[in-house]
Amino acid sequence: MENSQTTSRDLFPGALEMMILESLRRQPAHGYALVQHIQQRSNNLLQVEEGSLYPALQRLLKAKLVKAEWTVSPATNRRVRVYQITKNGLLHLEREISSFDRMLEGIQMVLGPQKRNANS
Amino acid sequence: MSWFDRMFRRQRLYDELSEELREHIEEKTEQLMRIEGLSRSEARQAALRAFGNLTLLEEKSRVVWQWSTLESIFADLKLTLRRLRRAPGFAVIVLLTLAIGIGANTAVFSVINSVLLKPLPYPGSNQLLGLRLDAPGAGGLASISNGLAVSPSMYLTFAEHNRSFQSIGLWSPSTANVTGIEQPEWVQADQVSDGVLQTLEVPPLLGRWFTPADQDPHGSKTAMLSYGYWQRRFGGDRSVIGRAIQVDAQTRTIVGVMPRGFRMVDNDFDLLIPMAIDRSKLKLAPFCCNGIGRLKPGVSIAQANADIARLIPLWMDSWSNGPGTDPHWYEHWKIAPNFRLLKSQVIGDIGNVLWVVMATIGIVLLIVCMNVANLLLVRAESRHQELSIRAALGAGRARIARELLVESVVLGLIGGALGVGVAAAGLRLLVSIGPANLPRLSEVSLDARSIAFTFVISLLSGLLFGSLPVWKYVFLRGSARLSGSGRTASQSRERHRARNILVVIQVAMALVLLVCALLMVRTFAALHNVDPGFADAPHIQTVSTWIPDQLITDEQTVTRIENNIIDKFSAIPGVTSAGFARAVPMDGNEPNWDNLFVQGKNYEGNNPPLRFFNYVSPSYFNAMGTRFVAGRDFTWTDIYNLNHAVIVSENFARETWGSASAAIGKQVRQSSDTPWQDVIGVVEDVHVRGVDEEAPATIYWPTMLRSPYEPKAPITASRFITFAVRSDRAGTASLLSEMQQAVSSVNANLPLASVQTMQEIYSKSLARTSFTLVMLGIAAAMALALGIIGIYGVISYAVSQRTREIGIRLALGAQKRELRWMFVRSALVLTGVGVFVGLGAAVAVAQLIRTLLFGVSPLDPLSFVVVPVILVLAAAFASFLPASRVTTVNPVDALRAE
């Protein structure tokens, strides 16, 4: 319970899913690799709660935005479940990104003048 | 993936998820070892730390796939079933009591549903009326089956002049001899007028209905078959239409077959015969027949009654009782229509009995629920700590309440499912032993409505007995009790209160049922103490026969044949006497009710009251064991000489002349046209309509006599008669076959019917009382048994919970006897309170069943004393057994256990 609350305070709802989809768009990956990837891409700014990754993955699976397949990882030679983004996932991701962009723009417009005032 | 797939594939999903998580941690561990150079165990610790609560995460991931509420109820369900499997004793006891309790309720409800609730099986049956009339001036005649029946002349007047009915018909149950087959066969051949089938609106399966032409006595003779008779006699041959059949020595053409399941209102018939209605010979009387009518749409029963009331004077103007009689003589009967729904006429007053039985069985189910609640409380008690811990760990009240309720509802539903089986078996038993006068018994079945009823009461029972532990452990207590250890907490009085209240209620309900059952037993005994007017009923064999005038025309010959049969019967070894009458007591026949004038009495222009008439042979009273109080029996000489002799009942003699002996030699007659008859004998009173009804003042006529109303046929014999044969072999097949041979040797065309001993007839007349008695008895026995179990349970639990306290007391020198008494006393206190509460309820309930009682007051002191004594003794016994377990307590062990 505590975990989920802190994560959702750090990230807005849907952010984690969006980042997972974006990572998978570049390259299919299994859970552990996704954690690594998101952390690297964000220059360790975003510390993904490893645990909360899996419920998110399950949600994406259920919504058919990603699909999963068991393969043997060539690096570690172990059985891993590799996730791949689906067509629906791609569409969803684009929609999410554009709405995120708009939101970000909106937030910046609201914050913008204040920033200027504070600076001046 | 559909939800359906998901249900089944979910397990795989979960497994994959677990594997995936394990894999993740493994990889992380290795990375930490590789990069940070930690040992494997350190790395693993760190990996797990980074991950958080693994189980919780797994659960949260799973949640994605669930409909959470339904899913967790399913989980509760699975848990419940598993828990029940682990406590088979508990499960069996609970399910068995529930199955019996719910099954009994289902069975009784099915009876109520079929008898009282279901409409009659005719289209638009709520428009069908039974036509009966009020006639307060007609005495006993109008009280036969709740009202005066309809005469054929009334039927014609009503049918032709009413404005309220679509159609009206007349019918009368009757029997006939069918000959021309190996053995003459006695069948149920109901007489029906044109209009009956049209009123019931059930089309024939084959052929056609009767038409007005069929009831013309001079027209062609026709008949219709029931489905059953068509199958039995003609093997379901469809070419049966147009074939001939010999009915009462008359050739009739079969014109139709009625469909399967069709009954003539409440009568199972073999044949339907058109009622011969000869308009030119019709009189005002006789009031012989059942009328039925179908209302026009929008016409109320009250309107129909008013409409017909208008036609009564017209009826009296249109017909007469013969030349010289006064057609308006019937005015003093004050005839008025009292039409009712056909269904309520069929049901009669059985509703009272059934609702009483339903209420009784309902109480038993309540007691069952109490008992189950009690058992659940015990279980909840032992789970008390578990529940407290769960509550402390944050399980919501609703969550725990739901789990407890799921458990009890599951128990209720399984019990209900088993109960359906119990009910099916019970109904089969009921229909086979069924009280003969329970109407519509053949229609009784477990239908969808009964099953729905079962489902609802199972569910309600589950919620009812489940709500008690919930209320007690969840809402009353919350999680505040974690601190107290189970043992110390159990000693508080408050903790026992719920279970004590349950026991008090059980005792009270058991008391109510036992009092009612005892009142019925007392009623039954009182009925058996009534002298019915015949003696040694098991040794009286009765058989009926019918000599149609198509077979033997001459009345003298009819009487001689009957006389011959009696002589042959008397010659059978072991037969001590034989005779016959037109009706034997309690067989439902009532040959006649008519006025009787007593010589020397002045009726001041009024008519004397109606008296019950029976027609008997010599030695009939002897065979029945009906005592002569004064005078003598008929002789065959009296019969053949048409002597003006009658025998009267004792109550008539006392009422008229003051004493039995004063009656001998006095004279009576039926009307001013008939000769005076000498009273030659007085016999004891006979309860013709059953021992619960007054014996009517009765006049016994010789079986052959001058007809008062038929100048052209001066003599009438009794053609429909019932023989009474007294023999130790009554009821045996050998006696019957010898009797059959005796009859055949006199006339081969006479079948024997209604073969039964007087004991059987007598028992049948008590069927309704015995039915109520048996049902109440069963209910009361169950209530008593459950009450005892309840007390036993409470005391033995108390003993087991207080072992330590007992040990201390013993160690301090308490006597075992005193300790035992301590427990027995608490049981007696509970019982005492229950008895006190129950006595109040019993007084009220006894008033409700007042109409079922006979010869016993609803406040019968004996019942109200015996039952509490029984209950107190039962309680003492039930508590003594567990209480004596204190003697097995070893003080040292008890203390050490702490």
Side-chain angles (χ1 to χ4, degrees):
Chain A
M1 288 243 161
E2 305 304 315
N3 286 338
S4 72
Q5 273 162 13
T6 38
T7 350
S8 55
R9 221 180 293 137
D10 291 346
L11 293 171
F12 60 89
L16 181 59
E17 278 89 342
M18 208 161 69
M19 290 189 296
I20 292 171
L21 286 176
E22 176 59 34
S23 308
L24 291 179
R25 189 164 68 110
R26 291 161 192 264
Q27 186 183 16
H30 66 287
Y32 182 74
L34 274 171
V35 176
Q36 306 290 83
H37 183 247
I38 291 172
Q39 262 167 242
Q40 279 164 19
R41 292 279 301 177
S42 69
N43 282 337
N44 288 335
L45 270 177
L46 290 177
Q47 194 74 37
V48 174
E49 289 280 353
E50 295 179 30
S52 51
L53 177 75
Y54 286 93
L57 277 172
Q58 299 298 316
R59 278 193 292 277
L60 291 172
L61 259 181
K62 192 183 177 195
K64 295 185 183 170
L65 301 179
V66 301
K67 56 186 180 186
E69 210 170 61
W70 287 93
T71 55
V72 176
S73 152
T76 58
N77 204 23
R78 265 201 298 260
R79 219 168 93 84
V80 290
R81 181 141 76 156
V82 172
Y83 293 87
Q84 249 180 311
I85 192 161
T86 63
K87 217 181 215 170
N88 277 340
L90 282 169
L91 286 172
H92 180 81
L93 178 62
E94 273 161 33
R95 269 201 306 275
E96 286 290 290
I97 288 175
S98 75
S99 83
F100 174 73
D101 283 346
R102 248 179 302 140
M103 183 174 76
L104 205 59
E105 197 180 343
I107 292 174
Q108 274 168 349
M109 280 163 77
V110 172
L111 295 180
Q114 285 177 337
K115 256 185 181 168
R116 227 173 288 140
N117 286 345
N119 287 347
S120 62
Chain B
M1 211 185 302
S2 75
W3 65 268
F4 188 76
D5 287 332
R6 230 158 39 220
M7 290 259 293
F8 291 94
R9 294 170 68 174
R10 195 170 292 149
Q11 194 54 50
R12 217 192 70 207
L13 282 169
Y14 294 167
D15 292 345
E16 285 182 341
L17 188 65
S18 312
E19 186 183 344
E20 195 175 359
L21 294 179
R22 269 199 315 277
E23 178 54 39
H24 183 111
I25 289 166
E26 191 55 35
E27 205 163 325
K28 175 119 186 168
T29 307
E30 285 184 5
Q31 193 207 28
L32 288 172
M33 284 163 67
R34 203 169 54 242
I35 295 174
E36 308 202 0
L38 295 175
S39 75
R40 175 164 274 278
S41 67
E42 282 170 335
R44 187 168 170 77
Q45 288 301 321
L48 284 173
R49 246 194 325 277
F51 213 85
N53 185 335
L54 191 62
T55 320
L56 191 68
L57 275 172
E58 211 168 316
E59 200 166 290
K60 267 166 62 194
S61 308
R62 287 175 178 198
V63 163
V64 172
W65 299 102
Q66 295 165 349
W67 316 280
S68 50
T69 318
L70 196 66
E71 185 103 354
S72 67
I73 285 180
F74 257 125
D76 282 353
L77 199 74
K78 251 162 69 182
L79 194 67
T80 296
L81 290 176
R82 204 180 307 148
R83 223 183 347 238
L84 286 180
R85 262 209 307 279
R86 273 211 311 268
F90 166 82
V92 166
I93 290 175
V94 166
L95 291 180
L96 222 57
T97 39
L98 280 176
I100 292 171
I102 295 175
N105 272 272
T106 302
V108 173
F109 177 80
S110 302
V111 172
I112 287 196
N113 179 33
S114 307
V115 175
L116 302 182
L117 305 180
K118 257 195 235 167
L120 293 176
Y122 307 110
S125 66
N126 57 350
Q127 287 177 309
L128 291 174
L129 296 192
L131 314 185
R132 287 275 169 175
L133 303 126
D134 278 339
L141 185 58
S143 63
I144 304 171
S145 354
N146 53 57
L148 185 69
V150 177
S151 76
S153 57
M154 270 181 178
Y155 156 63
L156 287 186
T157 304
F158 296 169
E160 285 159 13
H161 298 281
N162 83 83
R163 295 171 194 153
S164 327
F165 292 95
Q166 295 178 35
S167 61
I168 289 183
L170 207 60
W171 71 281
S172 169
S174 180
T175 55
N177 301 343
V178 172
T179 47
I181 41 177
E182 315 85 62
Q183 280 251 320
E185 190 182 10
W186 173 292
V187 300
Q188 186 71 35
D190 292 355
Q191 303 212 2
V192 298
S193 76
D194 162 53
V196 166
L197 299 172
Q198 288 82 344
T199 302
L200 294 178
E201 281 187 4
V202 177
L205 180 70
L206 294 177
R208 62 167 177 84
W209 280 333
F210 293 131
T211 63
D214 290 299
Q215 67 188 28
D216 176 359
H218 308 296
S220 59
K221 303 278 182 260
T222 53
M224 292 180 78
L225 308 178
S226 75
Y227 185 89
Y229 194 64
W230 178 52
Q231 290 292 330
R232 182 152 52 87
R233 177 74 198 279
F234 299 95
D237 181 2
R238 297 184 74 86
S239 68
V240 76
I241 305 297
R243 242 198 266 174
I245 181 174
Q246 287 292 115
V247 183
D248 284 344
Q250 224 177 22
T251 307
R252 290 184 175 272
T253 312
I254 298 168
V255 297
V257 176
M258 289 308 288
R260 181 203 285 262
F262 173 80
R263 302 174 84 225
M264 213 32 243
V265 186
D266 55 350
N267 188 278
D268 277 313
F269 65 92
D270 299 303
L271 291 177
L272 294 179
I273 305 290
M275 195 175 274
I277 297 182
D278 189 346
R279 203 173 259 274
S280 63
K281 288 186 184 159
L282 228 45
K283 293 180 178 154
L284 288 163
F287 304 91
C288 58
C289 304
N290 303 301
I292 51 171
R294 182 176 286 273
L295 285 175
K296 285 179 181 164
V299 176
S300 72
I301 297 177
Q303 286 168 328
N305 276 330
D307 181 26
I308 297 300
R310 172 182 68 87
L311 298 178
I312 302 284
L314 178 66
W315 163 69
M316 288 193 239
D317 289 338
S318 311
W319 319 88
S320 82
N321 265 343
T325 58
D326 173 15
H328 284 263
W329 179 86
Y330 286 111
E331 265 167 17
H332 85 270
W333 277 15
K334 302 184 181 67
I335 298 175
N338 179 17
F339 298 170
R340 291 192 291 158
L341 277 179
L342 186 60
K343 188 173 127 183
S344 62
Q345 191 185 310
V346 169
I347 295 169
D349 59 355
I350 191 69
N352 279 341
V353 172
L354 289 180
W355 287 119
V356 165
V357 171
M358 182 85 244
T360 319
I361 294 290
I363 292 180
V364 169
L365 183 60
L366 280 181
I367 300 181
V368 164
C369 288
M370 305 278 160
N371 253 350
V372 174
N374 219 333
L375 288 170
L376 287 177
L377 278 179
V378 175
R379 266 168 71 79
E381 201 116 313
S382 60
R383 283 174 62 195
H384 168 240
Q385 216 133 14
E386 174 208 332
L387 295 178
S388 302
I389 290 168
R390 285 177 56 180
L393 290 179
R397 285 179 174 196
R399 183 71 188 72
I400 291 182
R402 196 181 71 199
E403 187 189 317
L404 290 173
L405 274 184
V406 163
E407 176 170 297
S408 44
V409 166
V410 165
L411 283 172
L413 291 179
I414 298 178
L418 296 175
V420 171
V422 172
L427 282 181
R428 198 168 304 159
L429 193 70
L430 184 72
V431 172
S432 66
I433 64 162
N437 51 4
L438 183 60
R440 308 181 74 187
L441 189 64
S442 61
E443 295 173 41
V444 169
S445 65
L446 268 178
D447 62 0
R449 192 170 354 179
S450 309
I451 301 290
F453 172 83
T454 314
F455 178 72
V456 170
I457 61 168
S458 307
L459 202 65
L460 287 181
S461 306
L463 290 174
L464 178 68
F465 60 69
S467 60
L468 206 72
V470 168
W471 172 71
K472 190 154 182 271
Y473 282 94
V474 181
F475 293 101
L476 211 57
R477 174 157 304 193
S479 56
R481 282 307 187 100
L482 189 57
S483 53
S485 85
R487 207 166 307 187
T488 47
S490 75
Q491 280 159 18
S492 73
R493 274 186 180 280
E494 174 265 324
R495 190 130 181 217
H496 278 306
R497 196 176 298 145
R499 306 184 58 212
N500 289 347
I501 290 173
L502 286 183
V503 163
V504 166
I505 297 175
Q506 278 188 7
V507 168
M509 290 196 196
L511 181 117
V512 171
L513 292 189
L514 283 169
V515 164
C516 292
L518 200 56
L519 288 174
M520 280 320 281
V521 170
R522 302 259 293 148
T523 293
F524 208 61
L527 288 173
H528 271 279
N529 280 338
V530 174
D531 180 358
F534 48 88
D536 198 14
H539 291 140
I540 308 170
Q541 179 71 57
T542 70
V543 294
S544 302
T545 196
W546 157 244
I547 306 180
D549 48 2
Q550 292 89 348
L551 188 68
I552 310 284
T553 340
D554 180 52
E555 310 283 320
Q556 290 266 4
T557 317
V558 167
T559 306
R560 291 210 181 272
I561 288 175
E562 291 165 349
N563 188 352
N564 279 346
I565 293 174
I566 285 191
D567 291 345
K568 297 262 181 182
F569 281 169
S570 304
I572 294 173
V575 172
T576 50
S577 61
F580 65 83
R582 278 207 206 160
V584 294
M586 305 176 190
D587 70 350
N589 286 323
E590 299 199 3
N592 200 4
W593 286 79
D594 211 338
N595 300 117
L596 192 82
F597 293 86
V598 175
Q599 188 169 46
K601 278 224 164 171
N602 181 10
Y603 296 97
E604 292 162 351
N606 290 326
N607 280 289
L610 294 173
R611 306 297 185 177
F612 178 56
F613 286 9
N614 200 351
Y615 304 82
V616 302
S617 79
S619 79
Y620 163 75
F621 292 114
N622 203 358
M624 292 296 288
T626 306
R627 282 180 300 109
F628 270 88
V629 184
R632 64 170 180 90
D633 196 358
F634 294 126
T635 63
W636 283 108
T637 319
D638 290 328
I639 308 273
Y640 292 121
N641 290 349
L642 298 171
N643 284 346
H644 302 309
V646 292
I647 296 171
V648 301
S649 64
E650 190 179 358
N651 54 3
F652 180 77
R654 283 190 196 284
E655 175 197 324
T656 314
W657 300 289
S659 79
S661 51
I664 305 299
K666 297 293 193 311
Q667 292 188 309
V668 297
R669 66 178 173 186
Q670 266 172 286
S671 75
S672 49
D673 300 333
T674 54
W676 289 103
Q677 310 269 336
D678 299 323
V679 175
I680 60 163
V682 178
V683 292
E684 65 174 309
D685 298 341
V686 177
H687 292 265
V688 179
R689 288 174 174 170
V691 282
D692 56 339
E693 292 214 27
E694 289 274 312
T698 309
I699 316 301
Y700 298 93
W701 302 84
T703 176
M704 185 170 70
L705 74 165
R706 283 186 196 286
S707 166
Y709 299 120
E710 293 281 346
K712 279 186 195 156
I715 299 172
T716 43
S718 304
R719 289 174 175 277
F720 178 89
I721 54 171
T722 300
F723 292 101
V725 171
R726 178 170 289 274
S727 166
D728 287 346
R729 294 163 61 209
T732 63
S734 65
L735 177 69
L736 282 173
S737 80
E738 283 169 55
M739 286 171 68
Q740 175 74 64
Q741 276 166 24
V743 173
S744 304
S745 73
V746 175
N747 188 318
N749 282 323
L750 297 180
L752 295 186
S754 323
V755 177
Q756 46 195 343
T757 64
M758 272 314 291
Q759 183 61 41
E760 288 163 343
I761 296 177
Y762 177 71
S763 305
K764 248 184 248 173
S765 84
L766 288 177
R768 193 169 291 190
T769 310
S770 13
F771 175 68
T772 321
L773 174 67
V774 169
M775 297 306 267
L776 271 173
I778 292 173
M782 286 168 77
L784 182 61
L786 290 169
I788 290 176
I789 293 173
I791 292 170
Y792 179 92
V794 163
I795 299 302
S796 67
Y797 187 72
V799 171
S800 71
Q801 287 297 296
R802 291 166 72 178
T803 309
R804 182 166 156 272
E805 179 201 334
I806 294 167
I808 294 173
R809 284 171 185 258
L810 283 174
L812 293 179
Q815 294 294 306
K816 287 183 173 176
R817 197 155 37 88
E818 285 167 15
L819 288 175
R820 265 204 306 267
W821 171 238
M822 184 177 84
F823 286 105
V824 173
R825 194 183 54 210
S826 72
L828 290 182
V829 167
L830 290 182
T831 311
V833 177
V835 164
F836 188 73
V837 175
L839 281 176
V843 168
V845 173
Q847 297 300 323
L848 294 179
I849 64 165
R850 190 178 210 126
T851 55
L852 303 176
L853 301 180
F854 176 88
V856 53
S857 149
L859 296 177
D860 176 46
L862 183 76
S863 306
F864 278 83
V865 169
V866 168
V867 171
V869 169
I870 292 176
L871 274 172
V872 169
L873 288 179
F877 173 72
S879 56
F880 181 78
L881 289 182
S884 54
R885 237 185 278 146
V886 301
T887 54
T888 63
V889 172
N890 180 340
V892 180
D893 290 348
L895 292 174
R896 201 176 279 153
E898 187 61 3

